[in-house]
Structures are given as C-alpha cells and as structure tokens.
Amino acid sequence: MLNAEINEIGQFIPLHYHYQMLSDASRMTAFKSAIEKIVTPKHRVAELGSGTGVLSSFAAKKGAQVWSVEFNPALVSASRRFISENGLSHKVHISQGDATNWLPPEPVDLVICEMLHSALLREKQLHVVSAFRDAHLARFGVAPRILPNATLLGVQPVNQCYDFNGYFAPVPLFQSPYYTAEDCSPCSDPVVYKVIDYDNAHVETFEAEVAFQFKNDSNVNALRFITKSLLTMDAYTGQTIDWHSQYLILPLCKAFEMKAGQEMRVKFKYRPGEPIETLNNAIVIETAEQKQDKDKFSMIA
C-alpha cells in the first residue's frame, strides 16, 4: 500500500496528533464511562486501531484480558511503553498490523473501535468493524458485542461566516458539538440520513435525499454534518452513553436565500472512508425557485 493511501484511510495517524484526542474531555469521559459500564473481569476484549492504548487501558483496569492491534509501528512502540508504565502489560497485548484482516488468538466478548471521523469520512470505522465481526463469526462461531453500538449521521442547513479578517474564504471546517459557535447559525432542524448498526452493517454507499422546511427567512451557505455515536445502551432503562464527533461544515457553491415556508432539497452520496472532498463535490441543492426556472425553460424549449 502506498504511503499516500495509508495517510488517506486514516490508519497512520502520527503520535503527536494523539494529544488532541487524549485531551478531549468529552471523548475520553464518554468512552471511559461506556467501557466501565460494560466490561467485567471475565471479559475478553479486542481494540481495533488502538493508538496510544488508552481505551484498552480502561478495559484492562476493569480486569478484562485485552488484545489490541495498531497499524502504525511508532504507535505500537509508544503504546507498549505507555501500557507498561501504567502497570497493565500483563493485561494488554498489542500487535502491529492492519485491523481489517486481524483476529485475536481467542474469541472476544467485546470489540472497541474508535475510527470515527465526521460523517464517517476518511477513517475506516465501518470497513474495520464489519471485517472483524464477520471474520470472528467465521472462525469462532460467535459475533462479539461492538462499541460503539451505532452511529447516527445527520445534516443541517446553516449560515456560516467565512470572513477571515476581511478575506472571504469558504473552506470546509470543523466545530465542536459541545459549544455554541457564534459564527454559525442553524437555518432549519437537522435531519438524520443514515443509521449504522455495527452488529449488522457492511460497507455501502450512503445515498441521501432530504428536505428542509424553513420557518424563517434564511441565508443558507453551508451544510453542517452531524455524527453521533451511541456507545452503549442500558437494555432495562434505555439510557445511553453517547459521543458526538466534531461537526463538519461544508460550504455550498453559492448562498441560497430561502423564504419562510419554502423547501430546500439536498442530495448527496458517498462511501464511508472517502475523502471530505468527495462528499463536498457530491452535494446537489434544489429549491422551488430552481424548479420553476427549469419548468419555464422546458416550456420555452
């Protein structure tokens, strides 16, 4: 595999990028809470794409035996050192390899995989989880529980400020889902366009056609893509532990002046793991005004 391809699929994230993930309190708290809720000392756990080993450590601290796989050799060395320094080498075994074709030596009860890029782009969460699940079932005769359980993908029309010190530059950008962005205003409610159930999902094309109704006059110049992962759910209470990936804001080819009561239809399709540009280039917007223009042109013709 070429280095460019490795970087594109998100399996070769350098160590210095992991500081942001380790210091992301929302991410760390959600995964730690979910793992601690599920894992018991009797469990055997696998982590796919283990990075620094922090999620494996949460499972090991609950007494589970853990097997982890990481593609980046430098991260394998670093995580083995971190695991040793945390006194967990007897519980966590880290292998170097491609998570899409790796299996632990024994069947596991739980699989942890956090390759969750916004909109499930770039990283190979769905590829890795579905490949492991199917291979585990074929070899051991049982499918393990997956963490996260599911991912919900949504989209929302917004007005995003693209003025940077007087310079207009409509670029793709990321926003925290846990803080209100003062430079980004929602124009309509979000719509869920895909639900991924990791117990059953396989790699497929995500094809969406959604409609938005506007309650107020709005200037729509971008779409906000929302990625919410359900890490675990209590079967008795229905309570869930969730985590939101960063919002992805993609600029539209032009701004659309929408009046109250009007409808906008948004179409796009992409495959999970593809570059952000693939989704951005696939977006098609249709408004009532555009449809009227098409009808007038057809009549003239």
Side-chain angles (χ1 to χ4, degrees):
M1 185 179 293
L2 298 174
N3 286 338
E5 293 175 328
I6 292 171
N7 289 327
E8 184 59 48
I9 66 176
Q11 290 194 16
F12 212 83
I13 300 174
L15 179 61
H16 54 272
Y17 282 103
H18 283 264
Y19 170 78
Q20 279 72 27
M21 291 184 277
L22 290 168
S23 60
D24 184 338
S26 299
R27 171 184 180 269
M28 295 289 281
T29 300
F31 274 91
K32 184 177 183 181
S33 297
I35 291 168
E36 289 180 346
K37 188 174 184 63
I38 296 172
V39 175
T40 72
K42 295 181 180 180
H43 276 139
R44 291 168 295 185
V45 176
E47 186 185 1
L48 310 179
S50 53
T52 60
V54 63
L55 302 186
S56 291
S57 78
F58 294 156
K61 287 178 180 178
K62 289 289 292 184
Q65 193 67 48
V66 185
W67 290 273
S68 304
V69 61
E70 168 57 45
F71 191 82
N72 185 341
L75 271 177
V76 171
S77 298
S79 59
R80 284 173 176 166
R81 176 164 54 86
F82 299 153
I83 288 293
S84 175
E85 290 175 350
N86 281 272
L88 296 170
S89 295
H90 64 298
K91 283 291 186 180
V92 181
H93 305 276
I94 303 170
S95 300
Q96 193 278 324
D98 186 340
T100 57
N101 54 32
W102 172 87
L103 279 174
E106 301 178 25
V108 296
D109 306 288
L110 176 70
V111 175
I112 302 167
C113 185
E114 197 282 272
M115 300 177 74
L116 292 163
H117 198 280
S118 303
L120 293 192
L121 293 162
R122 298 210 68 230
E123 294 195 78
K124 298 291 185 177
Q125 174 83 7
L126 192 51
H127 300 70
V128 167
V129 168
S130 59
F132 182 92
R133 183 196 63 220
D134 294 349
H136 191 281
L137 179 61
R139 177 175 295 184
F140 300 117
V142 61
R145 184 173 181 175
I146 311 294
L147 192 161
N149 294 163
T151 296
L152 283 69
L153 302 178
V155 62
Q156 179 182 33
V158 298
N159 179 266
Q160 172 66 46
C161 177
Y162 288 112
D163 185 303
F164 302 95
N165 281 6
Y167 187 70
F168 178 69
V171 296
L173 56 92
F174 295 95
Q175 292 173 346
S176 170
Y178 296 99
Y179 302 97
T180 300
E182 295 182 358
D183 61 353
C184 185
S185 302
C187 298
S188 184
D189 293 332
V191 172
V192 173
Y193 64 87
K194 185 67 178 178
V195 177
I196 297 94
D197 170 12
Y198 291 110
D199 286 335
N200 302 290
H202 289 85
V203 180
E204 60 178 318
T205 298
F206 298 163
E207 190 163 1
E209 180 175 349
V210 297
F212 298 99
Q213 299 284 340
F214 294 87
K215 298 177 182 178
N216 303 298
D217 293 354
S218 303
N219 179 283
V220 179
N221 66 355
L223 294 177
R224 171 190 283 164
F225 286 86
I226 300 167
T227 309
K228 176 182 177 180
S229 291
L230 189 158
L231 303 186
T232 187
M233 180 176 70
D234 190 309
Y236 296 101
T237 66
Q239 292 183 331
T240 63
I241 298 175
D242 305 323
W243 178 59
H244 287 263
S245 301
Q246 285 189 312
Y247 292 149
L248 171 62
I249 313 295
L250 294 182
L252 300 178
C253 59
K254 68 173 186 176
F256 293 82
E257 293 290 345
M258 304 301 298
K259 300 296 183 182
Q262 286 187 326
E263 180 181 271
M264 170 186 281
R265 301 190 74 83
V266 176
K267 302 177 184 179
F268 56 84
K269 64 179 180 179
Y270 66 97
R271 289 179 68 79
E274 288 189 320
I276 292 171
E277 293 77 13
T278 300
L279 172 55
N280 210 158
N281 294 336
I283 295 171
V284 176
I285 305 292
E286 184 178 280
T287 65
E289 182 180 27
Q290 289 175 310
K291 189 176 187 301
Q292 288 173 359
D293 290 342
K294 289 179 182 177
D295 291 341
K296 289 178 183 178
F297 180 79
S298 297
M299 292 174 66
I300 294 172

